[in-house]
């Protein structure tokens, strides 16, 4: 990492709605610095190169925000939505190369973002030092529902720990992580909130298996790896993948799944994008330091299906050709 700003993934400035200006100072991420022990990118030696699924071409920039981009998601029309850490806004980007448009003001949108089946956006708040450290004991953060056309905002659920990652299950259940704690939150489609549905230490990126039977969670520090939580037995998470010793400082962050259901993980310090293959990690690409989230495109235009996109603290959104895959064939009659 080039400065202490890079290490603030877990401890963000507190956002209060409806403030419309960024904070003047940030709190250093003391715990991550202590856990990492270094302030520069570290090479990753443990993850070998993955078998290619896309062209052997370098990543290309497709958008730029003047902000830390925490999370990205793409809707069925191929439009991308991004949460901005400093300003707390949600941005819409209609296609690669288009200028980002601020869809909202400062609503504290500094956590994960997902797109529901009806096209509405769910956005996490409270991804800052105070809420991250106290979220397990005093869950007060909100999950917001944002209209992708008008930018209208309302509270979808409250009483969650500081929300970093957000994942949506096929049945509409929402799961959240709090990086500074252990609790995994859960919100059912009928509005029931459980801020401590399951527990994984230093939980960050989160995704749900295609069949909805498991919740996958990235552990960022101490013993980085990937956990599987059976939806039918949330009291017994299972560590699935552990990083090798040279990758102990890689700081894995965001999580997405490809069309085959394989997890892909972004990293801050190692600069690699990892994929899980055969119960082990391999590197899809390297050199992408400060990465926060990954997502695949959707639809047949704009940020299209089969293409892999990366967001980062540097505000850059990149297409990663090496992670591309063939779009799913259309369903038959």
């Amino acid at each position: 990492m080039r400065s202490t700003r890079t290490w603030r993934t877990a401890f963000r400035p507190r956002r209060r709605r409806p403030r419309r200006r960024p904070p003047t100072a940030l709190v250093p991420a003391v715990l991550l610095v202590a856990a990492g022990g270094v302030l520069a990118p570290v090479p990753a030696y443990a993850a070998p190169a993955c078998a290619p699924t896309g062209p052997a071409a370098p990543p290309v920039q497709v958008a730029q925000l003047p902000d830390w981009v925490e999370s990205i998601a793409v809707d069925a029309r191929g439009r991308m939505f991004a949460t901005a850490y400093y300003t707390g806004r949600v941005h819409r980007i209609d296609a690669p190369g288009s200028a980002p448009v601020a869809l909202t003001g400062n609503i504290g949108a500094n956590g994960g973002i997902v797109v529901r089946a009806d096209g509405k956006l769910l956005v996490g708040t409270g991804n800052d030092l105070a809420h991250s450290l106290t979220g397990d004991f005093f869950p007060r953060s909100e999950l917001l529902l944002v209209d992708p056309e008008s930018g209208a905002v309302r509270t979808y659920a409250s009483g969650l720990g500081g929300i970093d990652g957000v994942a949506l299950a096929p049945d509409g259940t929402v799961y959240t992580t709090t990086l500074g704690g252990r609790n995994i939150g859960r919100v059912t489609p009928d509005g029931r909130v459980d801020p401590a549905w399951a527990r994984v230490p230093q939980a960050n990126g989160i995704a749900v298996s295609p069949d909805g039977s498991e919740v996958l969670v990235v552990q960022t520090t101490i013993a980085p790896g990937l956990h599987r939580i059976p939806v039918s037995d949330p009291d017994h998470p299972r560590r699935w993948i552990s990083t090798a010793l040279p990758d102990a400082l890689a700081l894995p962050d965001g999580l997405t799944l490809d069309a085959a259901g394989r997890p892909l993980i972004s990293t801050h310090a190692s600069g690699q994008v990892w994929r899980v293959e055969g119960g082990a990690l391999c590197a899809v690409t390297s050199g992408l330091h400060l990465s926060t989230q990954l997502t695949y495109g959707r639809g047949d235009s704009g940020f299209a299906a089969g293409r892999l996109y990366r967001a980062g603290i540097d505000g850059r959104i990149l297409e990663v050709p090496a992670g591309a895959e063939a779009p799913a064939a259309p369903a038959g009659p």
Side-chain angles (χ1 to χ4, degrees):
M1 303 280 170
R2 294 183 176 86
S3 71
T4 54
R5 286 177 57 192
T6 305
W7 295 84
R8 292 174 182 145
T9 304
F11 310 118
R12 307 261 169 63
R14 187 171 181 175
R15 300 290 177 189
R16 297 177 182 274
R17 291 190 289 143
R19 282 180 59 186
R20 298 184 179 274
R21 60 182 180 84
T24 55
L26 296 177
V27 181
V30 217
L31 297 184
L32 276 183
V33 171
V38 293
L39 291 175
V42 292
Y45 304 103
C50 298
T53 60
V60 56
Q61 183 170 312
V62 292
Q64 172 83 56
L65 268 69
D67 206 326
W68 170 326
V69 180
E70 174 59 21
S71 187
I72 52 175
V74 178
D75 71 3
R77 293 168 55 181
R79 302 179 300 178
M80 181 175 286
F81 300 88
T83 55
Y85 164 57
Y86 290 113
T87 58
R89 295 172 174 165
V90 176
H91 291 261
R92 188 181 70 214
I93 310 167
D94 290 332
S98 299
V101 175
L103 189 60
T104 70
N106 183 354
I107 59 172
N110 54 2
I113 185 170
V114 293
V115 182
R116 299 198 316 181
D118 63 1
K120 299 288 180 65
L121 313 174
L122 287 172
V123 179
T125 65
N127 195 19
D128 55 69
L129 176 64
H131 290 89
S132 291
L133 290 182
T134 64
D136 281 5
F137 310 101
F138 305 104
R140 298 176 297 170
S141 296
E142 295 179 334
L143 193 61
L144 304 178
L145 187 69
V146 179
D147 187 288
E149 311 300 336
S150 67
V153 180
R154 71 173 178 85
T155 298
Y156 179 75
S158 58
L160 294 157
I163 301 171
D164 188 316
V166 178
L168 185 62
D171 68 355
T173 300
V174 184
Y175 299 92
T176 66
T177 61
T178 301
L179 182 53
R182 300 173 59 89
N183 289 349
I184 308 298
R186 182 177 189 244
V187 183
T188 60
D190 60 0
R192 289 175 292 157
V193 176
D194 184 349
W197 172 75
R199 290 177 174 83
V200 170
Q202 295 298 307
N204 199 336
I206 186 168
V208 181
S209 63
D211 64 1
S213 66
E214 291 185 318
V215 177
L216 310 180
V217 177
V218 171
Q219 179 176 341
T220 289
T221 60
I222 312 302
L226 185 62
H227 296 255
R228 302 164 84 165
I229 308 173
V231 169
S232 60
D233 187 16
D235 291 333
H236 297 93
R238 304 163 188 167
R239 177 174 280 271
W240 179 19
I241 305 289
S242 294
T243 58
L245 184 59
D247 279 324
L249 304 180
L251 295 182
D253 189 346
L255 175 65
T256 195
L257 304 180
D258 66 12
R262 297 176 299 185
L264 285 91
I265 303 169
S266 60
T267 65
H268 284 279
S270 77
Q272 290 187 324
V273 171
W274 294 334
R275 185 167 65 223
V276 176
E277 289 187 356
L281 296 171
C282 63
V284 172
T285 192
S286 301
L288 297 182
H289 298 100
L290 315 182
S291 296
T292 52
Q293 181 61 299
L294 303 163
T295 194
Y296 277 96
R298 297 176 64 193
D300 56 6
S301 62
F303 295 93
R307 300 188 178 208
L308 179 64
Y309 299 97
R310 165 269 187 199
I313 290 173
D314 53 12
R316 300 168 67 210
I317 296 171
L318 308 174
E319 182 180 343
V320 183
E325 57 187 16

